[in-house]
Amino acid sequence: LTPKDQLWHMNVNARGWQLPLGPALEFDDLAFTATIGKQQATISGIEGRIGRGAIKGAAQARWGDDNIRIEGDFSLANGDLGQLLMKFTRNFEATGTLNITATYALQGTSLATLFGNPRVNATFAIAKGALNNIDIVRAIQSPSRDGIRGGKTSFDGLAGSLQLAGNRYLY
């Protein structure tokens, strides 16, 4: 951490580091550079490993007048979908190799409320995977009013987009 021109410059290298807020994601390795001013910070050169994949990104944070806003982008290459998904839900299981590119925006009146209404736009591709407890072929072959549970849907590739706004997901 070094002061220069009324700013603080910081270089960070971490191992086994978990986000202090939001999802319980733990980075195997993480490195970034930050420039911190009076009411803003720029984080650049984010590189690391998470969920067996390589992550890269950047972010900007602004605060003041009872408002905190963080915007950024990231990409993940060759992540283990099953390992990463466990950090978000235990109600759904899937496997495969995940590649994702995303932008995000977080806003709140305090650090505690920052993840209360996230906005995420992402594109993803999953290779050689499976959706557990969902059998799409069986559901198509024998449609039921109550739906069908159980089974497994394997695939060579699955790609799409995700939009998250607050508690609403759109795939």
Side-chain angles (χ1 to χ4, degrees):
L1 186 63
T2 312
K4 183 180 177 188
D5 301 328
Q6 299 182 356
L7 299 172
W8 288 92
H9 298 273
M10 181 170 60
N11 291 314
V12 175
N13 289 295
R15 284 206 143 141
W17 184 77
Q18 184 174 336
L19 289 174
L21 302 167
L25 295 173
E26 184 175 320
F27 292 84
D28 302 323
D29 296 298
L30 182 65
F32 62 86
T33 301
T35 303
I36 305 166
K38 193 171 187 174
Q39 290 185 312
Q40 69 178 19
T42 301
I43 303 165
S44 59
I46 298 172
E47 291 190 15
R49 298 200 59 77
I50 187 168
R52 296 187 186 133
I55 191 164
K56 293 183 179 189
Q60 289 225 320
R62 292 184 179 86
W63 56 88
D65 298 329
D66 294 328
N67 189 31
I68 301 169
R69 182 165 179 86
I70 299 174
E71 296 176 327
D73 61 76
F74 70 91
S75 63
L76 175 71
N78 299 315
D80 180 334
L81 178 61
Q83 185 178 357
L84 292 164
L85 199 54
M86 286 186 338
K87 303 298 182 181
F88 292 94
T89 182
R90 301 239 186 258
N91 298 326
F92 180 72
E93 292 180 23
T95 61
T97 301
L98 174 65
N99 292 301
I100 187 168
T101 301
T103 60
Y104 61 90
L106 307 170
Q107 188 168 341
T109 56
S110 67
L111 290 175
T113 62
L114 198 55
F115 284 86
N117 190 23
R119 299 205 179 280
V120 177
N121 286 308
T123 57
F124 63 89
I126 306 166
K128 298 179 183 167
L131 305 175
N132 295 325
N133 205 20
I134 300 172
D135 188 335
I136 294 174
V137 173
R138 194 172 89 189
I140 292 169
Q141 290 173 343
S142 57
S144 168
R145 228 176 175 192
D146 299 326
I148 294 176
R149 294 182 180 207
K152 182 178 185 179
T153 301
S154 297
F155 55 86
D156 290 327
L158 176 66
S161 63
L162 164 70
Q163 292 179 335
L164 167 64
N167 293 324
R168 185 175 176 187
Y169 295 81
L170 176 62
Y171 290 97

